[in-house]
Amino acid sequence: MQNDKIGSGEKGMYIPKAFEVTEKEKLYNFIKNNSFGILFSQDDIGPMATHLPFLLHESGQLSTHMAKANPHWKSLNGKEVLVVFQGPHAYISPTWYHEENTVPTSNYVAAHVYGTVKIVKSKEETVHLMDQMVNLYESGLSEPWTAPFGTKFIDGLMNGIVMLKITINKVEGKWKLNQIHSIERQQNVVNGLRMAKNIISLKSQT
């Protein structure tokens, strides 16, 4: 994961060239700003998915945790998984183009991360990773909460989770934002989205 550009390859998300994002810094920043993702895996039983908060490490790893009661983690150690991070998305009406022969679509931003899972067995490392995650999510608050690790209450909760580390093998980014349309059409879509937002805001006030 030392390259400035990452992504590409045959398997994975369908990404037309116009929508492809491969810059590592841009993708990493997106993941950090949209860090609640979905972890997907496949085993003999079938596909499984769990919604989880993630912490991205500059070393090229993700860390997360799930409830020990969740059977999903039991088949993950050493397996490749897919983590999907979803950003802003919106329905695009063909009426906004002000032209004939147009159809509805959706604009969206997303990143797919493929990586190999390692179950963290060390209590010390589990506490360290959990502390990092808590500090990250609390950092924007005026009075951030600090986890009192070592207390009976927190230790009891920590015994009920499983910490995962995911070594990133590949990242794909797709920014589908009307890039294949003219600048005029793109601006018309921006105007349409602003109008729709205002209408929704007015409806919520009535």
Side-chain angles (χ1 to χ4, degrees):
M1 296 299 296
Q2 299 302 313
N3 294 332
D4 293 331
K5 293 189 176 183
I6 47 183
S8 72
E10 293 184 359
K11 73 171 182 178
M13 177 167 44
Y14 168 65
I15 311 177
K17 271 295 180 183
F19 305 146
E20 185 179 26
V21 174
T22 60
E23 292 84 356
K24 177 180 176 180
E25 183 177 2
K26 189 172 185 177
L27 288 167
Y28 271 30
N29 285 336
F30 172 79
I31 291 169
K32 290 175 182 177
N33 292 326
N34 299 273
S35 56
F36 193 81
I38 308 175
L39 188 154
F40 295 92
S41 67
Q42 176 81 29
D43 59 22
D44 294 338
I45 299 174
M48 298 187 73
T50 301
H51 299 252
L52 299 166
F54 287 86
L55 180 64
L56 176 62
H57 305 271
E58 293 301 328
S59 59
Q61 290 184 320
L62 291 168
S63 60
T64 188
H65 63 281
M66 65 175 66
K68 193 172 288 184
N70 184 346
H72 192 176
W73 67 271
K74 295 181 180 180
S75 62
L76 292 181
N77 200 40
K79 300 290 183 65
E80 185 177 39
V81 296
L82 165 65
V83 183
V84 173
F85 296 96
Q86 178 74 56
H89 57 91
Y91 171 79
I92 306 300
S93 171
T95 63
W96 296 343
Y97 294 122
H98 305 298
E99 295 181 23
E100 296 182 351
N101 301 321
T102 56
V103 295
T105 189
S106 291
N107 279 359
Y108 60 91
V109 181
H112 287 192
V113 176
Y114 303 84
T116 305
V117 175
K118 178 183 178 182
I119 304 296
V120 178
K121 297 181 179 179
S122 164
K123 180 179 179 180
E124 290 75 16
E125 187 174 8
T126 297
V127 169
H128 175 68
L129 291 171
M130 181 62 77
D131 189 45
Q132 285 186 302
M133 181 169 288
V134 169
N135 290 339
L136 172 67
Y137 282 93
E138 289 283 329
S139 62
L141 303 180
S142 58
E143 297 181 9
W145 178 79
T146 301
F149 294 107
T151 63
K152 183 178 180 180
F153 173 70
I154 295 297
D155 279 354
L157 293 175
M158 293 290 287
N159 288 333
I161 68 166
V162 176
M163 183 66 68
L164 312 175
K165 289 201 303 185
I166 302 171
T167 299
I168 297 174
N169 301 326
K170 175 182 173 182
V171 183
E172 298 174 317
K174 186 174 183 178
W175 275 221
K176 182 177 177 293
L177 300 170
N178 285 100
Q179 296 98 317
I180 60 175
H181 292 268
S182 66
I183 296 298
E184 182 179 1
R185 279 191 177 185
Q186 292 179 34
Q187 187 58 55
N188 287 340
V189 167
V190 170
N191 295 338
L193 287 167
R194 287 174 176 164
M195 179 180 63
K197 181 180 179 181
N198 291 334
I199 291 173
I200 292 172
S201 178
L202 288 171
K203 286 184 177 179
S204 67
Q205 297 173 22
T206 59

